[in-house]
Structure formats: structure tokens, C-alpha cells
Amino acid sequence: MIVRMRERVVAACDGASKGNPGPAAWAWVMSDGSGAPARWEAGPLGKATNNVAELTALERLLAAVDPDVPLEIRMDSQYAMKAVTTWLPGWKRNGWKTAAGKPVANQDLVVRIDELLDGRTVDFRYVPAHQVDGDKLNDFADRAASRAAVVQEPAGSALGSPEPPPAPDVPAKSGARRKAAGGTSPRRPGGSSARTIKAKFPGRCMCGRPYTAGEPIAKNDQGWGHPDCRTAAAG
């Protein structure tokens, strides 16, 4: 159902993939007048990559808002944001080819987003992910997408779904306050941090499998890698 509002809408969207590729999902959330989460929706994608999930979240959000309504979109995916704000014009000029002459990845989603952006006012705002006291909308969308990826079931305010639970690998606020006061942040057994971030560059986990830029990673005793591998090593 398309949301029809007269005033500017502030929203966030996010995608999640447990394995990249792996069980994936998308989510978006719109704020009320105070900036708190109000309307939201999340849906499963089966097996997909982080990038597909992130782009799908953006596509579903744009499709849910009337095109005449000014929109602010908060995202923690630099790939999805740059794809539609920086790289897209060049891809179109090159016949949907990259500067290297290769086909644009996820072209169907990018084309659909381009169509949905045509003629409308949209401001994109990058917000860092997994920050204590960070952006409430982005955190909500992140949790909703993560939950939908795990259970592979749709959810949302229209379905009467409860607020998505906190992600298990995000540090608690109390721990962050202890760190700010000179203490230490929460750590898992084996000395690995409970915090996850999105990789800025591709790399290889201690398990031998690679991870891509944008994929969630966590610190372990040997560097950075998959959050699941950190937990397994700690156990």
C-alpha cells in the first residue's frame, strides 16, 4: 500500500544477508513527527547478497511513498547510496556498463530504483551502522532486516508485528557508557569484541572464506572476519 502524506517524510532502509550470500531480507521504516519509528515493513529474500538486500530495501521504500512527497532517506550502505547517487548516471551513459566495460551488477534493481527516483525530491543521508545512541531509524531498519533474514517471514506495522529485537552482536548502551568513562567495552570469551562493523574493503576471515566490502565483520584474535566465526572461536 502506498503511503500518501503531504509533508516531507523522513525514513530509513536497510538490508541484511546472513552469509553473503545467505538468508537475506530488506526493511524500511518511516518516522513520526518526533523522529521516532512509526510505520515499517520488512520482507524475506531467500538466499541473496548484502548488496541485493540493500538495493531491494531502497526500492521497496521508494515504492511505498507517494512520488509527490519529498523524502529523506537514511542509509548505512555506501554501496547502495553511491550506486544511485554517484555511479548511476555514468552507467546509463555507458549502456549499463561499468567504467571497466562490465555489466552493472544488480542492474534490474538499479533500473527500477532509477525509475522510482525520476521526477521526485529525495535527499540521501549516510548514517554509520551499529552505533550506540546512533540514528534511531537506521537502527530500527537494521534490526527489522536482520530479524526477517533469520526467520524468513514478512513483518511490519500493518501486520501488527512487534518491534524487532536488538541484534545480538550490537554492544549495549551501558557498556558504551563504561567505555566512555574509562572502562572497557563488552567483550566475548576469548578476548574478542562484541561489536560488528561493515567492512570497508574485501578481506579474508580466519576460517579461510573471504568477505566483501559492506559485509558485517567482527574483531577476533587474528584480526577481522565473519561474526559467526568469532563466536565459534570464542566457544
Side-chain angles (χ1 to χ4, degrees):
M1 179 179 69
I2 292 181
V3 177
R4 300 184 182 276
M5 303 178 182
R6 293 182 179 180
E7 298 182 355
R8 180 170 176 264
V9 169
V10 178
C13 60
D14 204 359
S17 175
K18 306 300 182 179
N20 197 29
W26 55 270
W28 57 256
V29 57
M30 301 179 195
S31 68
D32 58 17
S34 67
R39 301 176 62 91
W40 64 283
E41 186 176 357
L45 288 171
K47 185 177 181 180
T49 65
N50 275 335
N51 289 344
V52 167
E54 299 280 8
L55 289 172
T56 301
L58 175 57
E59 185 268 333
R60 297 299 175 92
L61 171 60
L62 291 170
V65 180
D66 188 283
D68 292 333
V69 176
L71 184 61
E72 176 185 307
I73 300 177
R74 302 176 182 179
M75 308 175 67
D76 62 32
S77 170
Q78 295 201 40
Y79 161 77
M81 184 177 294
K82 288 182 178 180
V84 300
T85 62
T86 304
W87 303 327
L88 194 151
W91 289 342
K92 292 173 69 175
R93 288 194 301 269
N94 293 338
W96 294 105
K97 296 291 181 64
T98 67
K102 297 181 179 180
V104 172
N106 309 312
Q107 179 180 329
D108 55 338
L109 281 168
V110 178
V111 169
R112 173 61 176 156
I113 292 169
D114 183 39
E115 294 171 348
L116 289 168
L117 287 172
D118 186 39
R120 67 194 298 169
T121 302
V122 179
D123 294 323
F124 287 93
R125 176 183 167 191
Y126 173 75
V127 291
H130 304 150
Q131 300 295 306
V132 175
D133 295 326
D135 185 83
K136 292 181 179 179
L137 294 181
N138 173 255
D139 174 69
F140 192 104
D142 177 84
R143 289 185 284 120
S146 181
R147 176 63 177 170
V150 171
V151 301
Q152 287 294 294
E153 294 180 355
S157 52
L159 298 175
S161 304
E163 179 175 329
D169 53 1
V170 175
K173 289 185 178 182
S174 59
R177 293 193 182 102
R178 288 197 301 271
K179 185 176 181 181
T184 59
S185 61
R187 302 184 71 84
R188 294 186 182 273
S192 59
S193 171
R195 187 171 66 98
T196 66
I197 63 173
K198 290 196 175 183
K200 292 184 178 180
F201 306 99
R204 187 170 296 276
C205 177
M206 62 181 179
C207 71
R209 294 182 293 121
Y211 56 82
T212 62
E215 182 176 352
I217 56 174
K219 190 69 176 293
N220 57 60
D221 293 336
Q222 300 180 30
W224 291 88
H226 306 111
D228 291 344
C229 295
R230 171 201 62 193
T231 305

